[in-house]
Amino acid sequence: MLVFKFGGASVKDADNIINLASVVKLYQENELLIVVSAMGKTTNALEKLTKAYVDGDDEMHTIFDEIKKYHYDIIEQLFDKQDNIFNDVANTFVEIDWIIEEEPHDDYDFIYDQIVSIGELVSTRIVNAYLNKAGLKSQWIDVRGYIHTDNTYREGVVQWSKTKESIKAAIPVLLQKGIVVTQGFLGGTSENFTTTLGREGSDYTASIFASCLGAESVTTWKDVPGVLNADPKFFKDTIKFDELSYSEAIEMTYYGATVIHPKTIKPLQNAKIPLLVKPFTNPTEPGTVIKENGRNQFLKPVIILKHNQVLVSLSAKDYSFISENHLSDIFGMFAGTQAKVNMMQTSALSFSVCIDFYEVRFKKLLKALTQDFNVKYNEGLTLITVRHYSTDWLNDLKAGKTILMEQLSRNTIQMVVR
Ligand code: ASP
């Protein structure tokens, strides 16, 4: 059996959904499980809606109307007015109406997951209905009954044995009846609340299903020809890798290569399942294959940009040296506020760390840190990681940039820049 994952860009409008069905048609002889993300930039819009709701900002209604309009415009192009999909979509969106009618719960991450998850619940309804309309026999399942997580909202930790049991008990039977369409990015807790697996987590969903079912491969369909050495939005003359090893792919995603979610590779590596990254506009092209003993040919350095970083510098309020005890306290606070550390440096009197910026979590972190430390920070920075670099090439990359922190190892250089 094959697992396919279609990301937001591949379902961003009616034409792309029609294209998705034609890609699926090419593989209809196989047992197919399809994982779908929210359409286009819906997750970002739902994040804004969540924030406006929690802030008590009336703009939430405008944001919600725009999200609904965007989806209805798409389904109007794909279906007749009488189609059931209009009810299904309305019934899914109404869950947001119920949430925002009430006073916000005090756990932001909990509210976030209950609202943001609607993006995937709606997109999969639409894709499933369209596949059926296109003559492909397809069934919609609610992933929250299969991928079980703890209740770490926004970063659900998968409970593997329970998940495997649920998936193996039900999915093979369904696959014999037809295609199975489900939501990426979501999980469910034992109290039936929704969790999310971290931004861009749909790849991880595909990998969870593939590893539990022993799939032949996972294909993630992209708007790029495969895994490139740099983001074509920011760099010219990028090259595509034909093959990569699991470990190189893990390194790249760890540093922030957004082409694949960082948690995706490990379950596939353990089960020796290849991951194919292919262009949804040219489905017969080979794309990139990530597999055991994949050849890594670094004809050019790999450049990874991670935006929205904050560089925090700490020094002890009593001007003492930064000791192991301080570091242990600091890391306790990072773990307690789910801060993601991307790079760090220690000197005698200060400790500097580059982390992903999430406003609500960052405020909590600052509150905790400022009790014992003097804290300075800069927001809006970018972390550049270059793997397999050459010196002349680095000079070009650094030109004109203010570098706030830099670190070099044999294979990798990282710098935080403004
Ligand atoms: N829709 C979610 C996001 O945009 C998950 C995904 O697309 O993988 O982060």
Side-chain angles (χ1 to χ4, degrees), residues 5 7-8 37-38 40 43-44 112 116 120 184-185 198-203:
K5 180 255 170 170
S37 300
T43 305
N44 292 352
Y112 176 102
V116 167
E120 270 71 13
F185 182 49
R199 285 300 308 263
E200 313 289 337
S202 299
D203 294 337

Side-chain angles (χ1 to χ4, degrees), residues 51 54-55 106-109 154 337 357-366:
K51 186 163 187 310
V54 173
D55 291 346
D106 52 12
D107 180 350
Y108 187 89
D109 292 347
R154 287 180 84 170
T337 55
F357 180 74
Y358 290 110
E359 195 179 340
V360 178
R361 288 184 197 170
F362 187 61
K363 279 189 188 151
K364 278 194 206 152
L365 176 66
L366 278 184

